[in-house]
């Protein structure tokens, strides 16, 4: 077992303090994911958006006694952490990678390294499944393929494993060399080359060359020879390869493919013999991913019958963790088909960071194909459950039931899913965060269905990874020390206030802002502890503001007078002063200042924590002069505020558009609103953001219409020819604007645009699907990445804000992380 003393030579770091020998069992880079302090080494990484050194005191207080740091004076570190072993290195991330590379070198097992633009995770998961009958596979959890994710993946290797499968992703030149040294692949798979991360490379040729660095020492590289750019680069470098192709000679030549329902029949030639196989997918991406796997199986000389049997058992890979509203105030984290130890740890981390009231419940099946002896496996599971403070465990399966005595949480065990469902009583679950995690053979989708609220099939999917991407995009524009306030008013622009606020709290923004006190109260009741500014408080809400430590925006003298009269003398209260610099909506003007500060002097318990204003036209360049005038006015007024108060306050004027257009005026804090949700208000940098929300519904019925027939209320839809129409389960009560009626709006069904025909009804509308194969139950995309909010808003003369905030609360929200 690795010891802390060995880390010094592995990382070539400087020993700051060595107190006592300790084993190195867990590598930690995120303080929020600490589960077992004993044996943990925390690598304090100074990253682009955060600095791990800030969390050393917190981790030390929680029992961590091993640190790798990249800054701090030796004397101060010894004084602050007298019982800790500490190493100082130039780069903590590099040190982590060196430790993982050392760990990899201790094992001689063969390793398959996977890179490419798309399909890496699916190929990895499928290969692990296909090879599991003869191999004990260790693999990257989910899509852990980055400079940070790869070392954490490789650290999982233990002596029981017989094969490793790790994916590697890069976003710019110079990154792959580090990953190659950690993975040290014996074999390689290059899935494909596409546009992902093109911005980080001079050309596609350079991107191919950089990715190929992963395979500089492999015995064999698997890839599709039809990818000309890749094929030529492999040939130039002389990498020994095993290829498949449709269009040119290869080791495996695909002569034909044909779709039969949900299956694809593949006809191929290998070693001079014609063969055919069926895979259980019809889409081209899945076929391509399966062909990469087929090449590996053929090279390993598996009999065709065995290959067919294994391919037939392939199933879609759950690429995301979904969080769904469930019965009785519960939230359900649906991780149904990800069933390994590393995946369990990741899902438990997500569950642990949902600060809702009520208990945490885990519904867990037997863990299959872990490569560990049963007792060791369930000891580790029990440790994870305890470390993540799971209050109730429901184990399903004969093996986990056998080791029930290892668990200290309140527990119940069932030998099968059907036994659990027979005993299921909804009343026993209330205000809980329930993680559902099981192997596919246990059919846990039936459990998910039992827990979900019975609502109609229209859902708003909220991509938390996209939201985080957008947050980091704006954070990257901020000067060091600039604080960030994020708007979660109006149900977080329709996306779900608590869920978005919780993510923002997890990623340590400085402030939240809501429109009304009730929104802030709800956040507090659901565990949000960040400072919250209430932008439109009313006198009848002042008591709640004080009760829940919410900070009101004060914008008028009569409002301030009512607020101070409601105060209890012994407490201190924080307020934010709104200054009117030209928006002329709300706010104090200079003429108010004498009365304003005279009143504040009478109430010393009232502390002004910020002064701010709002730009009226920051999203349009034609108003730049006016915006600059507003900024100058605000700067002058804020200086006067501080002079009259006799202390400094936080100053902020930039909104999402202002962050992009006026970066030199960030002052002490900026306010991020619509940009977080994927709409770049100036339009100049829209491509840099990711859409956060996708509104989906389903087809309720399909019918044929004769020429001349009318459709919908007021007979506004008229068939100018024989048509096929589909009724879809969304209407203006769900937030689908009535202005989309009569051909103005359109939706996507199977990727095809279908125009609205007739008037939008309250709960449904009709769309023209003539010429398409559409049936009841088919998915309909109302807006999303391929049909953007901006496009839809422009079609009815409004703004994306309106479409987002209009999505009704009766539409179920599904939150997911990839």
């Amino acid at each position: 077992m690795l010891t802390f003393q060995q880390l010094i030579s592995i990382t070539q770091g400087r020993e700051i303090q060595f107190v006592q020998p300790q084993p190195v069992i867990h590598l930690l880079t995120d303080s929020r994911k600490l589960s077992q302090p004993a044996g943990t080494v925390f690598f304090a990484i100074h990253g682009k958006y955060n600095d791990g050194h800030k969390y050393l005191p917190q981790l030390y207080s929680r029992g961590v006694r091993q640190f790798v740091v990249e800054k701090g004076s030796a004397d101060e570190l010894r004084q602050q952490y007298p019982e800790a072993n500490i190493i100082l290195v130039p780069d903590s991330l590099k040190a982590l990678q060196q430790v993982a590379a050392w760990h990899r070198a201790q094992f001689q097992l063969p390793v398959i390294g996977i890179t490419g633009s798309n399909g890496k995770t699916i190929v990895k998961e499928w290969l692990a499944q296909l090879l599991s009958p003869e191999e004990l596979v260790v693999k990257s959890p989910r899509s852990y393929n980055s400079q940070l994710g790869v070392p954490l993946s490789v650290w999982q290797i233990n002596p029981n494993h017989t094969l490793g499968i790790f994916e590697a992703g890069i976003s710019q030149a110079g990154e792959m060399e580090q990953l190659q040294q950690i993975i040290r692949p014996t074999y390689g798979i290059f899935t494909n080359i596409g546009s992902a991360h093109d911005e980080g490379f001079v050309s596609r040729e350079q991107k191919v060359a950089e990715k190929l660095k992963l395979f500089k020492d492999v015995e064999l590289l698997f890839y599709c020879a039809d990818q000309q750019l890749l094929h030529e680069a492999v040939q130039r470098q002389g990498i020994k390869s095993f290829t498949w192709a449709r269009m040119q000679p290869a080791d495996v030549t695909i002569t034909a493919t044909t779709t039969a329902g949900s299956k694809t029949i593949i006809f191929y030639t290998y070693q001079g013999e014609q063969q055919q196989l069926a895979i259980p997918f019809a889409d081209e991406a899945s076929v391509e991913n399966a062909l990469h796997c087929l090449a590996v199986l053929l090279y390993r000389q598996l009999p065709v019958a065995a290959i067919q049997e294994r391919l037939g058992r392939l199933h879609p890979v759950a690429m995301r963790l979904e969080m769904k509203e469930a019965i009785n105030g519960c939230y359900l984290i649906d991780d149904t088909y990800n069933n390994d130890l590393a995946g369990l740890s990741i899902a438990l981390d997500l569950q642990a960071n949902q600060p809702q009231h009520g208990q945490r419940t885990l519904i867990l099946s037997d863990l299959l194909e872990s490569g560990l002896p049963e007792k060791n496996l369930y000891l580790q599971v029990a440790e994870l459950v305890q470390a993540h403070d799971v209050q109730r465990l429901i184990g399903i399966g004969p093996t986990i039931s056998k080791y029930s005595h290892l668990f200290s949480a309140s527990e119940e065990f069932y030998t099968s899913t059907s036994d659990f469902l027979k005993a299921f009583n909804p009343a026993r679950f209330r205000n809980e965060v329930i993680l559902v995690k099981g192997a596919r053979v246990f059919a846990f989708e039936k459990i998910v269905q039992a827990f979900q609220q019975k609502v109609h099939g229209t859902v708003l999917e909220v991509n938390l990874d996209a939201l985080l991407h957008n947050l980091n995009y704006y954070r990257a524009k901020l000067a060091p020390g600039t604080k960030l306030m994020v708007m979660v008013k109006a149900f977080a622009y329709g996306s779900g206030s608590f869920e978005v606020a919780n993510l923002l709290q997890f990623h340590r923004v400085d402030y939240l802002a809501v429109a009304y006190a009730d929104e802030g109260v709800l956040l507090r009741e659901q565990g949000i502890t960040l400072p919250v500014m209430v932008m439109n408080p009313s006198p009848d809400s002042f008591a709640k503001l004080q009760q829940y430590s919410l900070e009101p925006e004060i914008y008028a003298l009569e409002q301030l007078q009512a607020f101070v009269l409601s105060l209890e003398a012994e407490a201190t209260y924080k307020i934010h002063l709104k200054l009117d610099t030209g928006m002329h909506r709300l706010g104090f003007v200079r003429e108010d200042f004498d009365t304003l500060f005279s009143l504040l002097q009478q109430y010393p318990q009232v502390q002004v924590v910020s002064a701010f204003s709002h730009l009226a036209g920051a999203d349009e360049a034609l108003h730049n002069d006016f915006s600059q005038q507003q900024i100058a006015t605000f700067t002058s007024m804020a200086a006067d505020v501080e002079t009259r108060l006799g202390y400094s306050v936080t100053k902020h004027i930039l909104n999402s558009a202002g962050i992009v257009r006026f970066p030199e005026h960030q002052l002490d804090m900026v306010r991020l609103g619509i940009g977080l949700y994927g709409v770049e208000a100036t339009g100049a940098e829209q491509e840099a953001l990711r859409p956060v929300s996708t509104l989906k519904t389903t087809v309720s019925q399909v019918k044929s219409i004769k020429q001349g027939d009318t459709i919908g209320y007021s007979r506004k839809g008229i068939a100018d020819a024989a048509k096929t129409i589909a009724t879809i389960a969304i209407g203006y009560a769900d937030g689908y604007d009535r202005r989309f009626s009569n051909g103005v709006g359109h939706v996507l069904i199977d990727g095809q645009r279908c125009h609205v025909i007739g008037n939008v009804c309250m709960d449904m509308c009709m769309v023209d699907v003539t010429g398409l194969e559409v049936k009841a139950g088919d998915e309909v995309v109302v807006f999303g990445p391929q049909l953007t909010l901006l496009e839809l808003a422009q079609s009815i003369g409004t703004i994306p804000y309106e479409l987002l905030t209009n999505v009704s609360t009766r539409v179920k929200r599904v939150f997911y992380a990839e």
Side-chain angles (χ1 to χ4, degrees):
M1 182 178 291
L2 181 64
T3 66
F4 189 83
Q5 287 169 300
Q6 290 175 281
L7 289 186
I8 299 169
S9 60
I10 292 170
T11 63
Q12 298 180 331
R14 175 189 166 200
E15 179 186 312
I16 297 298
Q17 180 168 272
F18 181 75
V19 178
Q20 58 182 332
Q22 290 202 35
V24 176
I25 302 171
H26 310 290
L27 307 183
L28 181 69
T29 62
D30 188 331
S31 63
R32 298 161 296 195
K33 297 181 179 180
L34 174 66
S35 59
Q36 298 160 353
T40 290
V41 178
F42 178 66
F43 291 78
I45 297 171
H46 190 176
K48 187 175 182 180
Y49 304 114
N50 215 336
D51 185 355
H53 297 81
K54 292 193 297 185
Y55 309 106
L56 295 177
Q58 171 194 335
L59 288 167
Y60 186 78
S61 69
R62 294 173 64 187
V64 177
R65 292 296 181 265
Q66 303 182 91
F67 298 105
V68 176
V69 301
E70 59 186 60
K71 63 181 183 179
S73 78
D75 289 343
E76 288 177 355
L77 289 168
R78 294 187 193 105
Q79 184 177 357
Q80 283 186 274
Y81 315 109
E83 298 176 8
N85 299 335
I86 305 170
I87 299 173
L88 179 67
V89 296
D91 185 329
S92 295
L93 176 58
K94 178 68 173 175
L96 175 71
Q97 293 171 340
Q98 290 168 326
V99 172
W102 176 89
H103 184 70
R104 167 70 180 93
Q106 309 311 302
F107 300 92
Q108 300 306 310
L109 80 169
V111 166
I112 299 173
I114 304 175
T115 195
S117 295
N118 307 102
K120 297 185 292 295
T121 301
I122 293 174
V123 171
K124 175 202 70 189
E125 295 291 339
W126 281 357
L127 266 183
Q129 180 185 340
L130 292 165
L131 297 176
S132 61
E134 58 267 2
E135 304 282 5
L136 293 175
V137 179
V138 56
K139 58 186 173 68
S140 311
R142 294 197 172 269
S143 54
Y144 270 40
N145 59 31
S146 67
Q147 299 291 308
L148 186 60
V150 167
L152 296 176
S153 299
V154 168
W155 182 252
Q156 299 176 98
I157 301 174
N158 70 49
N160 296 303
H161 294 124
T162 62
L163 178 69
I165 308 178
F166 302 109
E167 55 178 295
I170 59 172
S171 57
Q172 61 188 20
E175 290 185 331
M176 191 60 88
E177 289 92 340
Q178 284 78 21
L179 302 187
Q180 191 278 335
Q181 293 169 24
I182 300 167
I183 296 173
R184 292 177 54 195
T186 321
Y187 303 98
I189 298 176
F190 202 129
T191 58
N192 55 40
I193 193 70
S195 60
H197 300 298
D198 269 357
E199 66 277 7
F201 303 92
V202 174
S203 64
R204 289 277 176 93
E205 288 81 1
Q206 185 198 31
K207 183 160 71 170
V208 169
E210 289 292 322
K211 287 180 178 286
L212 278 175
K213 290 178 180 178
L214 179 62
F215 307 122
K216 73 182 186 71
D217 295 325
V218 296
E219 295 178 13
L220 199 67
L221 174 63
F222 298 89
Y223 69 97
C224 175
D226 289 335
Q227 298 186 77
Q228 196 64 31
L229 198 63
L230 171 59
H231 185 56
E232 291 172 357
V234 172
Q235 298 303 306
R236 278 196 307 272
Q237 295 189 29
I239 301 173
K240 187 179 178 183
S241 59
F242 186 99
T243 60
W244 65 270
R246 290 184 172 97
M247 323 251 271
Q248 60 181 313
D251 295 286
V252 182
T253 302
I254 311 302
T255 55
T257 59
T258 181
T259 303
S262 60
K263 294 183 177 181
T264 300
I265 311 301
I266 301 165
F267 300 87
Y268 68 93
T269 302
Y270 177 57
Q271 294 182 338
E273 292 188 14
Q274 291 272 359
Q275 299 285 354
Q276 72 178 65
L277 290 164
I279 62 169
F281 303 100
D283 63 289
E284 181 56 35
S286 293
V287 171
E288 180 177 303
N289 292 330
L291 287 172
H292 290 305
C293 297
L294 173 62
V296 175
L297 297 180
L298 289 172
Y299 173 76
R300 289 171 66 101
Q301 300 182 335
L302 265 73
V304 173
I307 293 175
Q308 180 60 81
E309 190 271 331
R310 296 184 192 187
L311 287 174
R313 289 190 281 110
L314 284 181
H315 52 75
V317 175
M319 295 293 289
R320 63 195 206 182
L321 275 162
E322 292 189 342
M323 189 163 69
K324 305 171 179 178
E325 297 172 0
I327 56 173
N328 303 332
C330 295
Y331 269 89
L332 200 71
I333 299 176
D334 184 358
D335 197 23
T336 310
Y337 298 140
N338 196 302
N339 187 239
D340 55 41
L341 200 58
L344 174 61
S345 179
I346 293 169
L348 286 169
D349 285 339
L350 177 64
Q351 184 187 39
N353 285 286
Q354 306 305 315
Q356 291 165 277
H357 57 284
Q359 68 179 7
R360 299 188 188 112
T361 295
L362 169 63
I363 303 178
L364 181 68
S365 80
D366 289 349
L367 271 70
L368 307 179
E369 301 162 357
S370 71
L372 293 172
E374 281 183 358
K375 185 173 183 180
N376 290 354
L377 171 64
Y378 288 101
L379 274 170
Q380 290 192 39
V381 172
E383 288 175 356
L384 281 172
V385 169
Q386 182 176 5
H388 287 84
D389 195 23
V390 173
Q391 286 90 38
R392 174 162 56 170
L393 169 71
I394 298 172
I396 297 178
T399 310
I400 193 171
S401 299
K402 176 181 171 183
Y403 292 98
S404 61
H405 61 281
L406 299 177
F407 296 92
S408 58
S410 170
E411 76 274 333
E412 52 194 86
F413 292 89
Y414 302 87
T415 56
S416 69
T417 301
S418 60
D419 286 346
F420 168 76
L421 290 172
K422 286 175 189 173
F424 178 64
N425 178 4
R428 295 179 57 232
F429 300 88
R430 188 168 301 277
N431 298 324
E432 302 174 30
V433 184
I434 304 167
L435 171 59
V436 180
K437 189 168 184 59
R440 178 169 287 270
V441 294
F442 287 90
F444 270 18
E445 68 274 9
K446 296 175 183 177
I447 294 177
V448 172
Q449 291 166 5
F451 273 103
Q452 282 198 259
Q453 289 182 323
K454 300 297 186 282
V455 293
H456 68 79
T458 301
V459 299
L460 184 72
E461 295 184 345
V462 181
N463 185 338
L464 298 178
D465 290 313
L467 193 143
L468 178 58
H469 167 88
N470 298 339
L471 173 67
N472 286 337
Y473 164 76
Y474 284 98
R475 266 185 163 163
K477 293 180 174 293
L478 302 185
T482 302
K483 293 181 179 179
L484 182 62
M485 174 183 283
V486 182
M487 305 290 115
V488 291
K489 61 181 181 177
F491 201 46
Y493 290 64
S495 298
S497 301
F498 160 69
E499 296 80 7
V500 172
N502 184 54
L503 181 85
L504 297 170
Q505 178 166 280
F506 186 79
H507 289 280
R508 301 182 174 106
V509 304
D510 300 287
Y511 252 96
L512 300 177
V514 298
Y516 298 102
D518 287 346
E519 294 175 304
V521 170
L522 182 62
L523 293 181
R524 288 284 186 255
E525 288 178 340
Q526 293 180 315
I528 300 301
T529 58
L530 284 173
V532 177
M533 181 175 78
V534 178
M535 303 183 74
N536 197 17
S538 57
D540 60 1
S541 72
F542 288 159
K544 281 189 174 180
L545 295 178
Q546 297 161 34
Q547 179 184 353
Y548 288 93
S549 298
L550 304 171
E551 302 171 14
E553 168 189 320
I554 300 295
Y555 50 79
L557 291 170
E558 58 272 21
Q559 180 201 31
L560 177 59
Q561 288 166 344
F563 179 72
V564 296
L565 290 174
S566 73
L567 300 181
E568 298 176 7
E570 66 274 10
T572 299
Y573 300 96
K574 296 177 179 180
I575 66 171
H576 301 258
L577 293 183
K578 177 71 171 287
L579 308 180
D580 184 0
T581 59
M583 180 82 163
H584 298 324
R585 185 173 61 181
L586 297 172
F588 294 100
V589 295
R590 281 191 185 275
E591 289 75 13
D592 297 322
F593 275 18
D594 287 344
T595 306
L596 167 64
F597 292 104
S598 174
L599 183 57
L600 285 173
Q601 285 174 359
Q602 299 174 41
Y603 294 88
Q605 71 268 39
V606 176
Q607 178 189 2
V608 178
V609 291
S610 90
F612 70 104
S613 190
H614 196 83
L615 296 175
D619 53 343
E620 295 182 89
L622 66 92
H623 300 305
N624 277 3
D625 288 345
F626 187 76
S627 295
Q628 293 286 4
Q629 179 182 323
Q630 279 193 274
I631 293 167
T633 301
F634 174 72
T635 303
S636 173
M637 291 178 73
D640 197 2
V641 167
E642 291 182 320
T643 298
R644 290 172 179 256
L645 288 173
Y647 56 84
S648 297
V649 301
T650 298
K651 297 170 285 296
H652 48 111
I653 191 171
L654 297 188
N655 53 9
S656 296
I659 295 170
V660 173
R661 206 180 284 285
F662 307 109
E664 69 278 15
H665 296 300
Q666 293 175 8
L667 305 178
D668 303 311
M669 185 160 68
V670 298
R671 302 187 303 274
L672 178 59
I674 192 65
L676 181 71
Y677 305 97
V679 178
E680 203 285 280
T682 73
E685 300 184 17
Q686 182 61 50
E687 292 302 313
L689 300 182
R690 291 177 59 186
V692 167
S693 302
T694 300
L695 181 59
K696 293 180 177 179
T697 188
T698 57
V699 173
S700 301
Q701 186 179 25
V702 179
K703 59 178 59 178
S704 298
I705 300 296
K706 299 191 298 291
Q707 182 176 2
D709 282 358
T710 60
I711 298 102
Y713 284 121
S714 304
R715 305 182 67 198
K716 291 294 186 182
I718 302 174
D720 54 5
K723 289 185 178 295
T724 304
I725 66 168
T727 301
I728 63 175
I730 191 169
Y732 55 77
D734 303 296
Y736 193 59
D737 201 295
R738 202 165 181 270
R739 287 172 289 179
F740 287 125
S741 299
N742 302 310
V744 175
H746 52 270
V747 297
L748 294 179
I749 303 179
D750 195 22
Q752 303 296 311
R753 294 192 173 218
C754 304
H755 285 271
V756 175
I757 185 167
N759 280 332
V760 174
C761 309
M762 180 181 289
D763 306 303
M764 62 195 74
C765 59
M766 287 65 72
V767 296
D768 187 349
V769 295
T770 305
L772 302 178
E773 299 217 358
V774 177
K775 62 185 183 301
D778 282 356
E779 181 180 88
V780 181
V781 175
V782 181
F783 62 70
Q786 284 74 47
L787 185 56
T788 68
L789 281 164
L790 188 60
E791 177 186 352
L792 292 180
Q794 289 172 344
S795 71
I796 59 171
T798 187
I799 55 177
Y801 301 65
E802 182 179 0
L803 299 186
L804 263 181
T805 56
N806 277 356
V807 178
S808 168
T809 54
R810 83 175 186 178
V811 172
K812 181 176 64 175
R813 269 68 174 172
V814 173
F815 304 88
Y816 67 92
E818 294 168 356

